[in-house]
């Protein structure tokens, strides 16, 4: 039908005796019909995704694979881009005192009571199990079935051993959950040379297996899981936090942990719907048919800044062997971008992905069997980690914003901080230090995390920029070459999202010595206000390094003489200095 209409319009528009006004109308109608005709043709992304059989969605980032879910997420992304400073009026999920029920009302209702309730199970299961291991009575509320996604998490064995130290795994569990191992790992930037490292993101861990292992351990420790339940509202009382579920059930606890991810309704309320300061868009696929499949790419760029939709973007790649078969490989394409009108949608990025990935991997798309299509949006805020806003409610994992604004490695961040957080939470609950100030000490200011914001800015293509389209690749290449010259103590922490004062200072100094001509472009790329702000975090990074190295031993020797509250407070300060300076990282 559209084809016939188009032919008729074309026929009419060719009559030379029609007036210019009529011809103009005909051309507008023709253009409209052409667009309608194009809209009826499914995109390559839609055709590919609808040809793949997908199982039910699970919780957590990357837990959905269907085309409908992609369109839903693209709509959320479009809403974020179109907003000015505030996304929308946020619902008030949390209230204080007498917000839900009076104490007399609660006594008349059937209320299940726990020490801790964790909302969000995909990453929440780890902290819930660690707290159960310490003897607390813990429950998990998960709106889906508590099950890991099919796509592997890439991590190193060193990071997984943190879960063993936290008491939620034994080393045999790591081997059982590891689907694939590979080495070496590449970092490269558009023909400028490559850097190869060992044992960085070189394990593909099956979330399905890992979460099932931890889930069984959690239940064996007395933990309770409410699957298929959603949070309706939370009320913080003087002696308890009460959770009302959409399904009508009421739970009470001494502390509620919000592990509901980047788009937690509690986080939206705390941030008052504020628009993210930056965003990472990720698309990719897991496919079968790759012949050379023994190495990985930690970060790779195959081109300079290019146009996608109405925006200039710098595209980066990651690639990892998949555990589902020897010819299976996962490739990700990602970009950092300011959420503004005209920003590319995920589906637009996927259309470019299908064009660029075969060249990047050296294989025709026709020779591949697409098994899954992967996509996600990851917001970042400069004021992260998020300070606690309510008594008896603590943000954890992605909801807290403690993950790197460059890698967004939520699982890697979890393994690094789980021991610190589980011990601190246990102490807070045991001593009843659950006011908002005491809980904020568990998610403190960390200068190395704030300093990472500059790297995201530097890796984000500016619109109407007066710097070279090749600038980002050149900057990254010279930084990575400098870190390689300085050796593993500098390169390896950076690749595992740990920024340290000494290595960062040495790297910046070497970059300025070897490539001083790049400095003016850095000022243009990230802007002077951002550099001034970053300089403050850089100073604090050095200050925290000094405090953790020289002041920590003095205070630690006095801890046992402090009152319980003072001891709790200073232990959190010591942890903030250590983790905020990166001194927790050991080769």
């Amino acid at each position: 039908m559209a084809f016939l209409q188009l032919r008729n319009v074309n026929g009419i528009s060719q009559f030379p005796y029609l007036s210019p006004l009529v011809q103009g109308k005909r051309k507008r109608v023709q253009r409209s019909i052409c667009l309608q005709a194009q809209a009826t043709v499914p995109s390559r992304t839609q055709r590919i995704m609808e040809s793949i059989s997908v199982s039910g969605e699970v919780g957590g980032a990357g837990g959905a694979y269907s085309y409908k879910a992609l369109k839903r997420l693209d709509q959320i992304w479009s809403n974020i881009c179109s907003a000015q400073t505030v996304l929308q009026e946020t619902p008030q999920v949390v209230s204080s005192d007498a917000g839900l029920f009076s104490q007399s009302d609660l006594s008349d209702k059937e209320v299940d009571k726990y020490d801790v309730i964790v909302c969000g199970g995909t990453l929440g299961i780890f902290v819930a199990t660690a707290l159960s291991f310490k003897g607390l009575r813990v429950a998990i509320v998960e709106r889906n079935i508590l099950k890991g996604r099919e796509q592997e998490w890439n991590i190193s064995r060193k990071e997984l051993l943190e879960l063993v130290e936290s008491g939620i795994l034994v080393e045999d569990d790591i081997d059982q959950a590891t689907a694939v191992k590979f080495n070496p790992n590449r970092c490269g930037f558009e023909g400028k040379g490559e850097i190869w490292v060992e044992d960085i993101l070189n394990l593909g861990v099956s979330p399905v297996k890992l979460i099932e292992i931890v889930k069984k351990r959690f239940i064996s420790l007395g933990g309770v899981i409410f699957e298929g339940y959603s949070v309706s509202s939370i009320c913080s009382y003087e002696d308890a936090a009460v959770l009302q579920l959409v399904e009508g059930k009421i739970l009470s606890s001494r502390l509620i942990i919000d592990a509901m991810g980047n788009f937690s309704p509690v986080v939206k309320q705390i941030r008052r719907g504020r628009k993210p300061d930056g965003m990472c868009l990720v698309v990719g696929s897991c496919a079968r048919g790759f012949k050379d499949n023994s190495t990985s790419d930690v970060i790779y760029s195959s081109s300079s800044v290019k146009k996608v939709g109405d925006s200039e973007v710098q595209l980066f790649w990651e690639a990892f062997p998949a555990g589902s078969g020897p010819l299976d490989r996962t490739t990700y394409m990602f970009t950092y971008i300011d959420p503004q009108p005209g920003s590319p949608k995920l589906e637009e990025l996927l259309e470019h992905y299908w064009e660029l990935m075969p060249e990047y991997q050296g294989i025709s798309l026709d020779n591949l069997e697409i098994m899954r299509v992967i996509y996600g949006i990851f917001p970042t805020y400069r004021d992260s980690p998020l300070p606690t806003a309510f008594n008896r409610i603590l943000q954890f994992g992605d909801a807290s914003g403690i993950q790197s604004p460059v890698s967004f490695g939520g699982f890697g961040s979890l393994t690094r901080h789980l021991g610190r957080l589980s011990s601190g939470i246990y102490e807070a609950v045991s001593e009843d230090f659950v006011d908002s100030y005491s809980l904020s000490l568990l998610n403190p200011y960390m200068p190395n995390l704030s300093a990472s914001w500059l790297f995201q800015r530097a890796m984000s293509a500016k619109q109407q920029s007066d710097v070279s389209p090749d600038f980002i690749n050149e900057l990254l290449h010279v930084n990575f070459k400098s870190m390689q010259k300085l050796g593993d103590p500098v390169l390896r922490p950076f690749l595992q999202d740990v920024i340290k004062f000494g290595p960062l200072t040495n790297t910046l100094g070497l970059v300025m010595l070897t490539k001083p001509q790049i400095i003016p472009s850095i000022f243009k790329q990230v802007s002077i206000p951002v550099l001034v702000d970053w300089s403050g975090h850089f100073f604090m990074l050095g200050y925290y390094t000094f405090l953790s190295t020289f002041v920590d031993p003095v205070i630690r020797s006095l801890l046992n003489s402090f009152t319980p509250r003072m001891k709790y407070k200073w232990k959190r300060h010591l942890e903030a200095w250590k983790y905020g300076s990166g001194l927790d990282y050991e080769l």
Side-chain angles (χ1 to χ4, degrees), residues 92 128 140 163 257 459 516:
Q92 301 299 293
I140 295 174
L163 301 181
I257 296 178
M459 295 168 71

Side-chain angles (χ1 to χ4, degrees), residues 305-322:
V305 170
K306 61 172 52 191
K307 196 92 166 177
V308 176
D310 296 327
S311 294
E312 300 285 343
V313 297
Q314 174 67 60
L315 300 174
F316 299 100
W317 297 91
E318 285 185 316
F320 304 99

